[in-house]
Amino acid sequence: MYAERAARLAGAVLWTNTPERSGPARVLPDGCMDLLWHDGRLLVAGPDTRAYLTDGEGGPWSGIRFPPGTAPALLGVPAHELRDRRVELTDLWPASEVRRLTARVRAAPDPVSGLEELALRRAADAEPPDPLLRRVVAALDAGRPVAATADELGVGARRLHRRSLAAFGYGPKTLARILRLRRALALARAGTPFAETAARAGYADQAHLSRDVRELAGVPLSELLRRTG
């Protein structure tokens, strides 16, 4: 069973998941990065460029999902170094620091509360989120073309690409594609016909939508809705 709620850290989401059946699960790309707690360990989920298939490891999971572009400042690692990866926090931070933080999460009333406090402490010591990155996400999520977004923000295409790699883990075109997929899934899950979903989400046509879903999610849209609807 999956549940989520807003975190006290702006834009972040706290979530818990206890799989109802064994076997791998499909995690869709969303432009975000997560700090995870599972089986007494702290892990980091990097930004995905395609659906991530879990290894089917059972038991409850907890996490805090950071909005696009914000996790690297908290973790001290460029996002592209974690692209399509799941790593132990000890791979990024000193083992002594991770042991101390692990003990704090264990001592919290529940793991998500511990993760939230950890994130809030890190955010208090980190630089505030770059407002330019928020504007990039907002523009691309609204369906603005990458070139037009760069022009409107006064950022050259190469500079935008470099900053996007560090902040999001990939270039702005990939981020725009992932955000478009999210818009399409929200529409389709609400019962919008696929052809209308394609048009409203920004695809050329329904065939374009179908190809993109297969490439990013690994399964056809109808099957994806049955699995995750």
Side-chain angles (χ1 to χ4, degrees), residues 127-157:
E127 293 292 325
D130 186 344
L132 176 68
L133 298 177
R134 291 201 301 269
R135 294 169 65 191
V136 169
V137 174
L140 297 181
D141 199 25
R144 296 290 294 156
V146 171
T149 297
D151 289 342
E152 290 165 4
L153 297 179
V155 181

Side-chain angles (χ1 to χ4, degrees), residues 15 17 19 21-28 36 38 45 48 50-59 61 86:
W15 58 267
N17 187 32
R21 57 181 181 273
S22 60
R26 189 176 302 273
V27 180
L28 301 181
L36 311 171
H38 178 68
D48 294 323
R50 58 189 178 277
Y52 177 84
L53 296 179
T54 69
D55 58 11
E57 194 172 350
W61 288 78
R86 303 294 187 271

Side-chain angles (χ1 to χ4, degrees), residues 107-219:
D110 52 70
V112 289
S113 297
L115 292 173
E116 183 177 41
E117 288 297 331
L118 192 162
L120 288 169
R121 287 173 180 267
R122 293 290 297 186
D125 295 331
E127 293 292 325
D130 186 344
L132 176 68
L133 298 177
R134 291 201 301 269
R135 294 169 65 191
V136 169
V137 174
L140 297 181
D141 199 25
R144 296 290 294 156
V146 171
T149 297
D151 289 342
E152 290 165 4
L153 297 179
V155 181
R158 290 185 178 180
R159 184 181 174 208
L160 178 59
H161 188 79
R162 287 196 302 270
R163 294 182 71 168
S164 294
L165 285 178
F168 310 123
Y170 30 63
K173 289 185 178 180
T174 298
L175 177 61
R177 196 176 175 212
I178 288 170
L179 295 176
R180 184 176 59 188
L181 173 68
R182 293 178 61 185
R183 295 196 301 273
L185 289 178
L187 290 165
R189 286 168 176 154
T192 306
F194 289 177
E196 183 182 348
T197 289
R200 291 174 59 184
Y203 293 91
D205 51 31
Q206 186 174 335
H208 183 199
L209 166 64
S210 298
R211 289 194 303 272
D212 232 37
V213 171
R214 279 184 174 272
E215 290 178 11
L216 293 174
V219 294

